[in-house]
């Protein structure tokens, strides 16, 4: 079910959040599909943790609408439509544009220089084909814009929405990485010039492309090939 080392999560704080992130990524990347059961014992053994943080994680995911609880059967992955994916990315785009509106007036020379270094980090990780480094650099760039905007509540809402994005899926795609570098540099220039129209255009393009790529990936994974019935017979 996972390619994490058995003791990796056991060494981290906030285990339930780590487990929730892991299972959420499996769902959003199509590795587990609507109608599939998520076994507590199996998941715990795979991640090298006890059943308790797995149960807590699944309660969190239930609250997000990603899994359903079947009485006396356990948790199974909830239905997810193409529109759900589009909505998630639309929400992120709208929140991001609002944050950029506030950040753009606060970008001084020091902020521009710091932002440029983060883009350099992204480009270096991309050139090395280092997916984890790309994910980290992508997160750092967006977090920096959020911090400059001084919009703590909006940034928290955006962070919650961004949890649904399987970033590694994008980071492993050389074409996406090349496009992201162009977008990052366009955004930096827009922030330098205080060109809000271009900044919004970059945001809209980034999230529209992200939604398109994820929908296409899930289609290839067969997520919407058929309506899958819960595996109740196997659980009886």
């Amino acid at each position: 079910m996972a390619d994490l080392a058995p003791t990796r999560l056991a060494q981290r704080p906030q285990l339930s959040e780590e487990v929730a992130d892991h299972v959420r990524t499996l769902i959003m990347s199509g590795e587990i599909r609507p109608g599939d059961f998520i076994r507590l014992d199996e998941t715990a053994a795979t991640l090298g943790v006890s059943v308790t943080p797995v149960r807590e994680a699944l309660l969190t995911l239930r609250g997000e609408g990603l899994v359903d609880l079947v009485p006396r059967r356990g948790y199974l992955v909830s239905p997810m439509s193409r529109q759900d994916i589009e909505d998630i990315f639309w929400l992120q785009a709208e929140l991001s544009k609002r944050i950029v509106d506030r950040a753009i007036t606060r970008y001084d020379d020091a902020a521009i220089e710091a932002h440029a270094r983060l883009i350099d980090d992204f480009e270096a990780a991309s050139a090395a084909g280092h997916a984890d480094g790309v994910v980290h650099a992508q997160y750092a760039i967006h977090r920096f814009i959020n911090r400059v905007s001084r919009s703590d509540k909006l940034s928290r809402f955006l962070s919650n929405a961004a949890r649904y994005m399987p970033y590694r899926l994008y980071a492993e795609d050389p074409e996406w990485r090349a496009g992201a570098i162009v977008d990052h540099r366009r955004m930096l220039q827009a922030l330098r010039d205080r060109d809000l129209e271009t900044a919004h255009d970059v945001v809209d393009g980034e999230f529209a492309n992200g939604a398109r790529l994820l929908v296409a990936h899930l289609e290839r994974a067969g997520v919407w090939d058929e309506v899958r019935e819960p595996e109740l017979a196997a659980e009886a």
Side-chain angles (χ1 to χ4, degrees):
M1 177 177 170
D3 55 0
L4 294 176
T7 58
R8 180 177 175 185
L9 294 188
Q11 298 170 352
R12 291 173 174 264
Q14 305 300 325
L15 284 182
S16 66
E17 294 179 15
E18 294 284 343
V19 175
D21 285 343
H22 175 77
V23 177
R24 189 185 295 109
T25 297
L26 293 179
I27 294 171
M28 296 305 298
S29 63
E31 293 183 56
I32 51 178
R33 295 169 54 183
D36 286 344
F37 269 93
I38 301 173
R39 323 288 178 177
L40 270 69
D41 291 344
E42 180 181 315
T43 303
T46 299
L47 298 178
V49 300
S50 70
V51 169
T52 298
V54 177
R55 184 179 292 109
E56 293 172 351
L58 291 174
L59 285 172
T60 295
L61 297 179
R62 184 188 182 194
E64 296 176 7
L66 289 178
V67 301
D68 294 314
L69 176 61
V70 180
R72 299 183 298 279
R73 294 293 187 265
Y75 291 90
L76 78 163
V77 180
S78 304
M80 180 171 56
S81 68
R82 294 172 179 83
Q83 181 174 299
D84 291 331
I85 302 299
E86 293 167 357
D87 288 346
I88 290 169
F89 282 81
W90 172 84
L91 175 61
Q92 291 181 85
E94 293 305 305
L95 290 172
S96 295
K97 285 188 289 187
R98 180 73 166 176
I99 287 172
V100 166
D101 289 349
R102 295 177 179 177
I104 201 167
T105 61
R106 296 188 169 106
Y107 258 76
D108 55 17
D109 290 342
I112 292 292
E113 183 178 347
H115 191 146
R117 288 196 298 270
L118 294 176
I119 297 174
D120 290 340
D121 291 342
F122 183 100
E123 190 164 10
S126 177
H130 185 201
D132 287 341
V134 169
V135 171
H136 177 78
Q138 178 78 356
Y139 175 77
I141 290 169
H142 286 289
R143 181 177 61 181
F144 185 78
I145 296 173
N146 294 348
R147 290 175 62 186
V148 173
S149 77
R150 302 176 190 171
S151 302
D152 182 64
K153 294 297 185 293
L154 278 180
S155 297
R156 289 178 184 272
F157 286 133
L158 179 59
S159 178
N160 287 334
R163 288 187 294 186
Y164 294 95
M165 295 182 67
Y167 279 112
R168 190 176 179 87
L169 179 70
Y170 300 108
E172 292 175 346
D173 181 349
E175 185 175 344
W176 177 87
R177 297 199 305 263
I181 291 170
V182 173
D183 286 343
H184 286 319
R185 297 207 178 280
R186 282 188 68 210
M187 175 61 79
L188 181 62
Q189 188 62 47
L191 292 168
R192 180 184 285 115
D193 296 340
R194 299 198 173 183
D195 179 355
L196 198 56
E197 182 178 356
T198 297
H200 280 199
D201 184 62
V202 172
V203 171
D204 284 333
E206 175 186 354
F207 287 105
N209 184 52
R212 179 183 61 79
L213 290 174
L214 182 54
V215 167
H217 171 80
L218 294 176
E219 286 177 343
R220 289 193 299 271
V223 168
W224 297 299
D225 281 353
E226 58 188 11
V227 178
R228 307 184 71 189
E229 296 296 330
E231 303 163 358
L232 297 181
E235 292 291 305

